Amino acid sequence: MKKIFFISITLLIVSFSNYADTWIKKADVPGYPKGGAVGFAINGKGYIGTGGDFNELWEYDPTADVWTQKANLPGEGRHYAAGFAIGNKGYLGTGGSGYIPLGDFWEYDPDSNIWMQKADFGGPKRLDAFGFSIGTKGYIGCGDNGVLPKQDFWEYDPATDSWTQKADYGGGKI
């Protein structure tokens, strides 16, 4: 037993030492603190927007370690929105203004630095939802309406600017 235990600990230590990472400080996001901000990535650049009821959008260029302010979201400033990228466009929606849930949805084009309002989110208004994309579709699910948690899940198709409800998230309320 002792040999097996010793070998297990040694393998565990070797595994951790082979994957040790080092954090390197990069440029801070300018402006006010962005509590509850949303982010997405397009063509190797990161975008952080909204948060703390602001409607700002910032682009991060990791090669130059520089943040550049982009066009403000024309919609209401918000926190705890959901976002994702599909192709060369970023998408942002839902979230809350104060404790009021929102359901609007926006597309950002970094080439023209323009926001365009799209079809409102398909489900009930919410904040704290999560978003991601797979291929040519985006997904937003869960979150809450400021009081009650949600488990519904929605697919966005930018080709038709439409939402389709999918199976509810089955892992319990998050």
Side-chain angles (χ1 to χ4, degrees), residues 127-130 141-144 148-151 153 169-174:
L127 52 139
D128 290 329
F130 61 89
C142 298
D144 65 73
L148 300 172
K150 301 288 183 190
Q151 286 185 265
F153 211 74
Y169 173 72
K173 293 181 175 34
I174 57 173

Side-chain angles (χ1 to χ4, degrees), residues 6 20 22 28 30 38 40 67-68 70-71 79 83 87 98 110 117-118 129-130 133 139 158 170-171:
F6 178 75
T22 302
D28 291 334
V38 67
F40 49 83
W67 288 96
T68 304
K70 297 298 185 175
H79 55 276
Q117 190 162 12
K118 304 309 261 178
F130 61 89
S133 63
Y139 299 87

Side-chain angles (χ1 to χ4, degrees), residues 89-109:
K89 305 279 174 69
Y91 295 89
L92 184 156
T94 68
S97 175
Y99 292 102
I100 312 237
L102 302 170
D104 56 341
F105 191 68
W106 298 83
E107 176 186 82
Y108 177 71
D109 182 345

Side-chain angles (χ1 to χ4, degrees), residues 1-80:
M1 266 322 225
K2 290 182 182 179
K3 279 188 173 182
I4 293 172
F5 179 74
F6 178 75
I7 291 170
S8 296
I9 294 296
T10 302
L11 290 175
L12 184 62
I13 291 169
V14 170
S15 294
F16 283 135
S17 66
N18 286 340
Y19 295 102
D21 289 322
T22 302
W23 288 92
I24 299 170
K25 174 96 169 86
K26 297 292 183 176
D28 291 334
V29 180
Y32 296 102
K34 311 288 187 290
V38 67
F40 49 83
I42 302 170
N43 294 328
K45 294 187 179 175
Y47 295 84
I48 292 180
T50 68
D53 290 342
F54 294 103
N55 61 356
E56 298 175 347
L57 180 70
W58 292 87
E59 176 188 79
Y60 179 70
D61 180 344
T63 304
D65 189 27
V66 171
W67 288 96
T68 304
Q69 188 166 12
K70 297 298 185 175
N72 285 350
L73 174 72
E76 203 165 344
R78 66 196 65 216
H79 55 276
Y80 304 116

